[in-house]
Amino acid sequence: MALRVHGAWILLFVIPALVTPAAINHEDYPADEGDQASSNDNLIFDDYRGKGCVDDSGFVYKLGERFFPGHSNCPCVCTEDGPVCDQPECPRIHPKCTKVEHNGCCPECKEVKNFCEYHGKNYKILEEFKPSPCEWCRCEPSNEVHCVVADCAVPECVNPVYEPEQCCPVCKNGPNCFAGTTIIPAGIEVKVDDCNICHCHNGDWWKPAQCSKRECQGKQAL
């Protein structure tokens, strides 16, 4: 009986000895966040503060060096406090510029509208046109339209007419004036009734005719 009990105790002591810490492979288990953080503490990142400046492409400039941070930036000087950049007064972009490029410190106009717009229509530079019979216009190099309106003279008649595509009215029947309600031609005496002979004022076509009375034919008949 003693031998059996002794053998049992030996077996119990041997079994735990088979599982040792060396038998566990730590590579089979991922490290926890604490272990990963401690491993990253050994990385060193470059810090150029107070030592230099870095442009958009990652190039490092020494203190005092002049450089362009990017293709569309103004030139800068590298200082201990960082880049100190120029702030120039850029030229004003033309209000009718249709293409602006930002490839430098100041924006540049690469294309200006080369036509004029007038009443919904486009005209070439220096093109002349007539939007109406009384207007003469031209498209200026400034893309602005300048127009001149015709100044019509006073017609020499009381019944002028407007012809198509003509600006000023015309006297189709020549100069004339009113004698009462009758229109008489200028330059001759006109007997408007049995007692009155009238003629138009010279040069004053808008004034009533000048008339003079004569012996009436009706009285002579009596």
Side-chain angles (χ1 to χ4, degrees):
M1 291 295 291
L3 291 175
R4 292 178 182 176
V5 172
H6 182 69
W9 278 104
I10 293 174
L11 182 60
L12 292 176
F13 284 111
V14 171
I15 292 174
L18 295 177
V19 182
T20 62
I24 301 176
N25 189 354
H26 291 281
E27 296 180 5
D28 296 336
Y29 299 91
D32 57 16
E33 294 181 358
D35 295 337
Q36 291 180 346
S38 61
S39 63
N40 289 336
D41 291 341
N42 297 325
L43 297 178
I44 299 176
F45 295 95
D46 293 332
D47 186 359
Y48 296 102
R49 288 176 295 180
K51 304 174 184 178
C53 302
V54 184
D55 63 10
D56 291 348
S57 62
F59 193 86
V60 180
Y61 295 87
K62 297 178 182 179
L63 296 178
E65 278 193 289
R66 192 172 180 84
F67 70 102
F68 289 85
H71 75 281
S72 62
N73 296 100
C74 294
C76 303
V77 175
C78 182
T79 69
E80 292 184 355
D81 297 326
V84 177
C85 303
D86 294 343
Q87 297 294 331
E89 186 175 349
C90 296
R92 187 175 66 91
I93 298 295
H94 195 284
K96 295 187 178 181
C97 182
T98 57
K99 184 179 180 181
V100 180
E101 288 188 359
H102 299 272
N103 291 327
C105 183
C106 291
E108 295 184 44
C109 179
K110 294 298 183 180
E111 185 176 333
V112 179
K113 186 172 68 174
N114 59 351
F115 62 90
C116 300
E117 185 176 352
Y118 189 76
H119 292 175
K121 294 183 178 181
N122 294 335
Y123 300 92
K124 298 178 181 179
I125 300 296
L126 301 181
E127 181 179 357
E128 299 178 358
F129 57 97
K130 293 186 67 176
S132 70
C134 289
E135 288 181 287
W136 176 85
C137 302
R138 187 174 75 168
C139 175
E140 301 294 342
S142 62
N143 301 110
E144 297 179 351
V145 174
H146 289 173
C147 296
V148 176
V149 179
D151 186 13
C152 297
V154 177
E156 297 182 348
C157 59
V158 294
N159 57 349
V161 295
Y162 286 89
E163 296 287 350
E165 303 302 323
Q166 288 189 0
C167 174
C168 299
V170 295
C171 298
K172 298 189 70 172
N173 298 320
N176 56 39
C177 66
F178 276 116
T181 58
T182 304
I183 298 176
I184 61 175
I188 59 174
E189 290 186 346
V190 178
K191 187 176 182 180
V192 295
D193 56 31
D194 293 338
C195 301
N196 294 294
I197 296 178
C198 303
H199 71 276
C200 296
H201 294 275
N202 292 329
D204 297 333
W205 316 111
W206 60 92
K207 292 182 179 180
Q210 189 174 20
C211 300
S212 59
K213 288 189 176 183
R214 303 287 178 89
E215 289 186 8
C216 298
Q217 291 182 357
K219 291 183 179 180
Q220 291 177 355
L222 293 174

